[in-house]
Amino acid sequence: MKRTDAWSDPRHVQRLRRRIDAIAARLPRPVTFMEVCGTHTHAIAAAGLRRILPPNVRLISGPGCPVCVTPVDYLDHALALAARDDVTIATFGDLMRVPASRRRSLERAVAEGADVRVVYSPRDALALAAENRDRRVVFLAVGFETTVPTMAAALAEAEELGVGNFLLLCGSKVIEPPLRALVQDPEVRVDGFLLPGHVSVILGSDAYAFLTADYGVPGVIAGFTPVDVQLALLALIRQLVQGEAVIENRYPRVVSAAGNRRAQELIARFFAPADTRWRGLGAIPGSGLVLREEWAHRDAARLPVDLPTSVEPKGCRCGEVLKGVIEPPACPLFDRGCVPEHPIGACMVSSEGTCAAWY
């Protein structure tokens, strides 16, 4: 058997299931863990892991999908920029179908004549700008620390090559402030976190020390196979049984303690923390990233546009889903008009969205 196969081996999954059941039986009360990575949400749903957890262990999804947590006003701004005759929007594909105010989307804007291109990286958007010097190419910079270094690298290359028409509409977010907000939210009541694998490659495991130091809440960094997730859950349960609260790295084949220093330096060179809004969580101080003043000429937010009053989809409870307060079937729109083919809320659009994963 190949080494990679072992991480999804059904026999190994069943052995771990029995170990989890055995140690969970020693828990003094039911517990709730939260995963805060969209890829985890998708992987857990695809493997059916929630269905094989013991009844006293609940696993909920948090705000780990960058597309889902992007607020409506950001999408309204992107649509306003797309309406300009001199602007080409470059975006990751997941954002194309996310509803903005009044059920509008970038996909619909294309049908109405806007120049919107799907790209696979910020560097693709930079190449588009280099080929179309008579237009402003605006990359929709949405993501967490995983993708922000690629945005910074594209900016560095744009400066080096003198591609002045490459701009960003900043919408990226960082993971520490929302984790703090979730721990302090009385509605959520999380006993431990399944910490993101991809983000942790950049930040390193030491970045989560605040969870235990400030709140006494444990966290375990996990990979994305069924076995990865089970090992992380087993570690979380064991900590609670033993009365511990530490940060464990169960993804050492990829994640180090210090993370990727070069990527961290790139982020710090071009971006500064800023207050920003999250769908479901509201405004969180220092949770967003904006361009530093020396790079203000790359900021698409400075282009004049008429912005509408933002309106959330009526009846959509995506915000509560993102906080883990409700599960998707509790939303009155789930599978009743809001389906992947015709999403009403952002959580049903991306494959990393909680509603899409549950559906």
Side-chain angles (χ1 to χ4, degrees):
M1 178 180 293
K2 296 180 181 178
R3 184 176 183 275
T4 53
D5 292 341
W7 295 98
S8 299
D9 184 355
R11 293 169 297 179
H12 201 168
V13 170
Q14 289 303 320
R15 284 194 291 269
L16 281 169
R17 177 183 183 178
R18 291 191 289 271
R19 288 175 62 189
I20 288 172
D21 286 346
I23 195 166
R26 297 164 55 193
L27 286 167
R29 59 175 176 82
V31 297
T32 297
F33 302 131
M34 175 184 281
E35 88 259 4
V36 286
C37 172
T39 309
H40 276 148
T41 299
H42 179 76
I44 289 165
L49 292 182
R50 279 188 179 84
R51 293 196 296 271
I52 62 173
L53 287 175
N56 60 339
V57 176
R58 180 172 175 242
L59 180 60
I60 60 175
S61 301
C65 166
V67 170
C68 303
V69 299
T70 300
V72 168
D73 55 5
Y74 179 90
L75 298 161
D76 288 338
H77 200 155
L79 285 166
L81 288 168
R84 286 180 54 120
D85 293 336
D86 62 340
V87 166
T88 295
I89 297 292
T91 178
F92 294 136
D94 279 358
L95 275 177
M96 289 293 291
R97 300 174 62 232
V98 180
S101 294
R102 299 166 186 85
R103 301 286 298 274
R104 297 195 72 238
S105 67
L106 290 168
E107 188 175 59
R108 179 173 169 182
V110 172
E112 295 170 351
D115 188 3
V116 181
R117 315 285 185 91
V118 173
V119 295
Y120 294 96
S121 73
R123 202 163 185 270
D124 290 344
L126 173 60
L128 190 62
E131 295 165 3
N132 297 272
R133 301 280 183 144
D134 59 330
R135 298 181 63 80
R136 292 180 172 93
V137 175
V138 176
F139 177 71
L140 302 186
V142 169
F144 290 117
E145 289 96 337
T146 311
T147 52
V148 175
T150 65
M151 301 171 194
L155 287 169
E157 190 171 355
E159 288 292 314
E160 182 180 347
L161 299 176
V163 184
N165 60 322
F166 175 67
L167 310 176
L168 300 187
L169 182 63
C170 294
S172 295
K173 293 174 168 56
V174 295
I175 196 67
E176 179 178 335
L179 288 179
R180 289 185 180 273
L182 288 165
V183 171
Q184 297 175 65
D185 191 325
E187 279 191 294
V188 180
R189 298 178 184 174
V190 174
D191 296 293
F193 286 100
L194 194 67
L195 295 168
H198 293 146
V199 166
S200 300
V201 172
I202 304 299
L203 297 183
S205 57
D206 289 348
Y208 304 103
F210 69 92
L211 282 173
T212 56
D214 296 346
Y215 306 106
V217 175
V220 179
I221 299 167
F224 302 97
T225 69
V227 170
D228 278 320
V229 174
Q230 287 180 299
L231 287 172
L233 290 172
L234 183 64
L236 280 171
I237 297 169
R238 183 179 290 118
Q239 284 195 48
L240 294 184
V241 167
Q242 296 174 352
E244 299 175 345
V246 298
I247 302 300
E248 293 187 48
N249 179 12
R250 292 287 171 164
Y251 200 26
R253 61 189 188 275
V254 175
V255 175
S256 65
N260 187 324
R261 292 288 176 82
R262 175 61 178 145
Q264 295 167 19
E265 290 167 2
L266 266 175
I267 294 173
R269 176 185 171 191
F270 286 97
F271 296 98
D275 301 348
T276 193
R277 291 183 62 254
W278 293 59
R279 191 188 301 268
L281 300 179
I284 303 178
S287 64
L289 292 173
V290 295
L291 289 169
R292 294 189 177 276
E293 189 57 37
E294 58 265 40
W295 312 112
H297 56 288
R298 299 285 180 184
D299 190 357
R302 299 198 173 197
L303 297 179
V305 292
D306 293 326
L307 295 175
T309 300
S310 297
V311 180
E312 293 281 353
K314 187 177 181 180
C316 176
R317 300 181 68 184
C318 182
E320 293 166 272
V321 170
L322 289 168
K323 287 175 65 175
V325 175
I326 66 168
E327 293 177 342
C331 176
L333 302 181
F334 182 79
D335 198 21
R336 302 176 187 89
C338 186
V339 295
E341 293 79 11
H342 303 286
I344 296 174
C347 296
M348 189 61 86
V349 178
S350 170
S351 62
E352 295 186 350
T354 304
C355 292
W358 274 70
Y359 185 90

